[in-house]
Amino acid sequence: MKKYPYGRQCIQQDDINAVVEALSSDFITCGPRVTEFEKAICTYTGAKYCVAVSNGTAALHLAMLASDIKSGDEVITSPITFLASANCAKFCGANVVFADIESDTANISASEIENKITAQTKAIIPVHFAGQSCDMEKIYDIAKRNNIIVVEDAAHAIGSDYKNTKVGSCKYSDMTTFSFHPVKTITTGEGGAITTNSETLYKKLLAYRAHGMHKDGDMLTDWRYEMRELGYNYRITDVQCALGLSQMKKLDSFKARRRQIVDFYNKNLGLPHLVEKDFSNACFHLYPILIENRKEFFHKAREVGLMLQIHYIPIYQQPYYAQFGYNPADYPNAEAYYKRCISLPVYPDLTDEDLCEIVKRIKEIL
Ligand SMILES: *Cc1c(COP(=O)(O)O)cnc(C)c1O
């Protein structure tokens, strides 16, 4: 019996050729392919600057560092997201404040964000859940009025559009972060990136990516460099970026297929699912359905080769986060969503026959 994971990379011969070529070139890291990959992301998203990094978590961490997030600051994010969206604030000693989701999109709610703002709020990290953009114009407006930085966590959303702009353009944010883990829409194995339109933020991101080192002014003429702040090694290699460049060329075709798959499920399953707003044209990363008896369904699905996944356990329920005293009753929509959600397979290599087979198996175990 054929097994179906919820997500999977799409690697073709030209991707393999690109990686092999990079391996036999002069630079396997810190070379021209890193710059080219960053340029490709700028061209695609419309952002002025891009910094490619070792993974999506590093991208979020760098965005927090560039925002000067410190101990005592508050960072608002969604409870229904991958751990990294919250952990990146903890890396900087900040307090994570969760704002509840909208029940129809599972995206963070702009009005809930507004309710959670205090004098300590320094940043908001809206997560474009399942690939659909949050209502960024609303969120950015709230943030600007309160002098708060906005970092879009677009790990799910490369290729997505919001009000006819690409996610990552930073039209309604200060920075946007991406992940290129194999379950995401395009992959570099492990990898990530940050886009921004601010030269100041761009320079900070570059420095924090490489140990806090600066080489500018007089130093450009000789061997000197200065470490002005504590940075990290969050570099990505040319081998990874060769794959990233090759994958970027396919992003629009991946998106078209992902949208077809979602359309197919919407039409053929008849099960409650998230809705797409008029302002969105999403490159869907996930297709969560909402189902009663979810636990039973999860196990039955495994028996018929459907390796489904739950996205996500609300972060405040994690044992590490329990020490900060969150109250699940403050997040009724997240609780209701988590009780029923389960993600079906979405990836470009699924054929029409696969989709029919998946729907048939789901109907059998319902
Ligand atoms: C995958 C993911 C990340 C982290 O990306 P990595 O590349 O795995 O470090 C961050 N946020 C969200 C929402 C993700 O899905």
Side-chain angles (χ1 to χ4, degrees):
M1 183 177 49
K2 186 167 176 185
K3 284 192 177 177
Y4 296 101
Y6 79 89
R8 164 187 171 96
Q9 70 276 15
C10 171
I11 302 288
Q12 296 161 329
Q13 192 56 46
D14 55 337
D15 297 304
I16 295 167
N17 294 347
V19 169
V20 170
E21 207 180 295
L23 273 171
S24 45
S25 72
D26 289 339
F27 295 94
I28 58 172
T29 192
C30 299
R33 284 173 178 84
V34 176
T35 322
E36 264 183 71
F37 184 46
E38 291 171 337
K39 272 192 192 149
I41 294 170
C42 285
T43 306
Y44 188 87
T45 59
K48 260 193 189 155
Y49 305 102
C50 176
V51 178
V53 295
S54 48
N55 57 66
T57 307
L60 283 163
H61 188 195
L62 290 182
M64 290 294 99
L65 291 166
S67 306
D68 288 320
I69 301 302
K70 298 221 159 49
S71 168
D73 293 339
E74 290 177 5
V75 175
I76 300 176
T77 192
S78 171
I80 299 293
T81 178
F82 183 60
L83 304 166
S85 315
N87 289 354
C88 63
K90 300 307 291 179
F91 296 162
C92 300
N95 299 323
V96 177
V97 174
F98 294 107
D100 203 6
I101 58 169
E102 305 169 333
S103 49
D104 56 348
T105 64
N107 267 333
I108 193 168
S109 145
S111 56
E112 285 299 315
I113 289 174
E114 199 155 20
N115 291 338
K116 297 286 170 130
I117 290 174
T118 70
Q120 279 68 51
T121 309
K122 192 87 177 277
I124 303 168
I125 308 179
V127 181
H128 303 316
F129 185 76
Q132 172 167 216
S133 176
C134 299
D135 197 348
M136 289 313 302
E137 193 169 7
K138 255 194 203 160
I139 293 172
Y140 199 39
D141 179 60
I142 294 166
K144 273 190 160 166
R145 279 192 273 115
N146 292 278
N147 202 17
I148 295 167
I149 289 168
V150 177
V151 175
E152 296 172 72
D153 181 346
H156 295 185
I158 194 153
S160 295
D161 295 72
Y162 169 75
K163 294 193 173 174
N164 299 316
T165 61
K166 282 284 166 199
V167 167
S169 73
C170 299
K171 183 167 177 196
Y172 304 105
S173 68
D174 299 283
M175 287 172 272
T176 302
T177 68
F178 294 105
S179 164
F180 308 125
H181 182 276
V183 297
K184 309 291 162 72
T185 294
I186 66 159
T187 190
T188 57
E190 295 278 357
I194 310 117
T195 56
T196 184
N197 293 318
S198 156
E199 192 183 356
T200 312
L201 289 172
Y202 174 61
K203 285 186 170 164
K204 284 189 186 180
L205 293 167
L206 284 180
Y208 279 118
R209 179 175 67 176
H211 311 282
M213 283 192 302
H214 294 258
K215 195 167 167 59
D216 49 27
D218 287 349
M219 294 185 287
L220 279 173
T221 56
D222 58 32
W223 63 85
R224 281 176 303 156
Y225 56 83
E226 282 178 0
M227 181 189 143
R228 296 186 194 140
E229 57 270 319
L230 185 63
Y232 296 80
N233 175 357
Y234 281 163
R235 293 187 304 260
I236 188 170
T237 67
D238 277 58
V239 182
Q240 291 168 297
C241 289
L243 179 54
L245 276 163
S246 171
Q247 292 264 298
M248 276 302 282
K249 292 182 195 151
K250 305 168 190 196
L251 178 50
D252 286 335
S253 66
F254 287 168
K255 175 177 179 175
R257 185 59 184 156
R258 283 175 174 274
R259 289 189 66 85
Q260 277 174 354
I261 292 166
V262 164
D263 214 41
F264 184 90
Y265 287 148
N266 284 346
K267 288 191 177 122
N268 292 285
L269 272 171
L271 291 171
H273 54 81
L274 302 179
V275 296
E276 187 170 32
K277 300 276 184 183
D278 286 341
F279 59 59
S280 164
N281 183 314
C283 178
F284 290 107
H285 164 55
L286 299 173
Y287 186 85
I289 52 168
L290 302 171
I291 194 159
E292 308 300 330
N293 304 323
R294 191 258 314 268
K295 194 165 181 186
E296 190 188 336
F297 182 80
F298 178 87
H299 291 294
K300 277 191 189 163
R302 299 237 145 180
E303 280 165 26
V304 298
L306 302 176
M307 314 315 276
L308 311 185
Q309 195 47 270
I310 308 303
H311 299 95
Y312 294 92
I313 302 169
I315 295 182
Y316 54 74
Q317 287 193 19
Q318 296 294 345
Y320 168 80
Y321 280 91
Q323 63 182 301
F324 306 114
Y326 299 101
N327 181 2
D330 292 340
Y331 316 100
N333 291 347
E335 289 289 304
Y337 170 79
Y338 170 58
K339 240 175 114 180
R340 298 200 295 155
C341 69
I342 186 162
S343 300
L344 305 191
V346 181
Y347 48 93
D349 280 347
L350 287 171
T351 63
D352 292 354
E353 291 70 38
D354 289 327
L355 293 176
C356 291
E357 179 62 28
I358 290 165
V359 167
K360 189 175 131 236
R361 289 187 200 174
I362 289 170
K363 289 192 166 162
E364 278 166 9
I365 60 167
L366 270 178

